[in-house]
Amino acid sequence: FLLLAWGLFLNHAVFNSDLWFSFSFVTFVMIHIIKNVAELSYCDRTVVFTYAENNGAFMGNGADWQEPYKSLILVILPVLALSFLLFHTLFSKVMSLGQAIGFSFVLGGGISNIYDRIVFGKVVDFLNIGFNDMRTGIFNIADVAIMLGLGILIYVFIFRK
C-alpha cells in the first residue's frame, strides 16, 4: 500500500506540478497506516510506540471542555483554517516550491487529525520520544507532518530571496 501511495506521489509530482496534492495525499495515507502499530520500544526506550486516545488538543488540553465550545475550538475552527489553507495553496499564483511543500505537510497532518476527530471523536497518538525521565508528550505522525511543514515554512520565509 505504501508503494502504491509513493508511486502515485511520484507519478503526480513528475507529470503534474501540483506537489501540494502529492505531499498531502502521501502524508495522509502514511499517517493512517502507521497508526495501527502495536506497542513497541526501541533504543533502550528512546523511541516508544504506545496507544493513547486524545480527546483534546495538544497534550490533551480541552478534553474536558463543555459543548459547544469543544466542537467549536477543536473541530469547526480547524476545519475553517484548513479550508482556507487548502484554497490558498490551490489557487495562489505566487507560491514557491518550498511554500507548497510546507503547506502540503501542514494540510496532510491537519486533515488527518481533523478526520479522526470528526469520524472517531478522538485522535490516536502513539509516539513518545526521550531519554530516561525527560520525554516528549505522546504524539502522532500527523503532528510530525504539521511541525515539519511549519519548520519548512519558517525556513522559506526567513531565507527566501
Side-chain angles (χ1 to χ4, degrees):
F1 191 70
L2 280 174
L3 289 175
L4 174 63
W6 277 107
L8 288 171
F9 161 74
L10 290 174
N11 178 53
H12 192 77
V14 170
F15 297 109
N16 301 312
S17 60
D18 297 333
L19 286 176
W20 72 268
F21 176 80
S22 301
F23 280 111
S24 297
F25 174 75
V26 170
T27 303
F28 180 80
V29 169
M30 289 179 65
I31 288 163
H32 285 278
I33 291 171
I34 293 172
K35 283 185 178 178
N36 295 314
V37 298
E39 183 168 323
L40 301 168
S41 171
Y42 294 100
C43 299
D44 197 26
R45 296 198 50 84
T46 300
V47 177
V48 178
F49 293 92
T50 186
Y51 181 86
E53 294 180 356
N54 184 350
N55 295 317
F58 177 71
M59 303 292 288
N61 291 319
D64 57 350
W65 291 345
Q66 299 298 314
E67 293 295 341
Y69 307 110
K70 183 176 182 177
S71 292
L72 174 68
I73 294 172
L74 298 180
V75 176
I76 295 171
L77 290 178
V79 166
L80 291 173
L82 287 168
S83 298
F84 172 78
L85 183 58
L86 180 61
F87 182 83
H88 173 71
T89 305
L90 284 172
F91 298 109
S92 176
K93 303 275 191 231
V94 293
M95 187 172 301
S96 71
L97 177 62
Q99 289 172 317
I101 292 170
F103 286 141
S104 296
F105 277 113
V106 171
L107 280 166
I111 291 169
S112 179
N113 274 343
I114 202 66
Y115 171 85
D116 284 353
R117 189 166 308 287
I118 291 169
V119 172
F120 304 112
K122 64 184 178 273
V123 173
V124 174
D125 291 334
F126 58 90
L127 284 166
N128 181 268
I129 298 174
F131 302 99
N132 298 324
D133 293 334
M134 188 171 57
R135 307 201 63 81
T136 65
I138 300 174
F139 58 95
N140 62 38
I141 298 297
D143 301 330
V144 173
I146 292 166
M147 296 307 293
L148 178 61
L150 291 174
I152 291 169
L153 290 169
I154 290 168
Y155 177 83
V156 166
F157 286 118
I158 289 174
F159 296 107
R160 70 179 174 187
K161 296 177 183 176

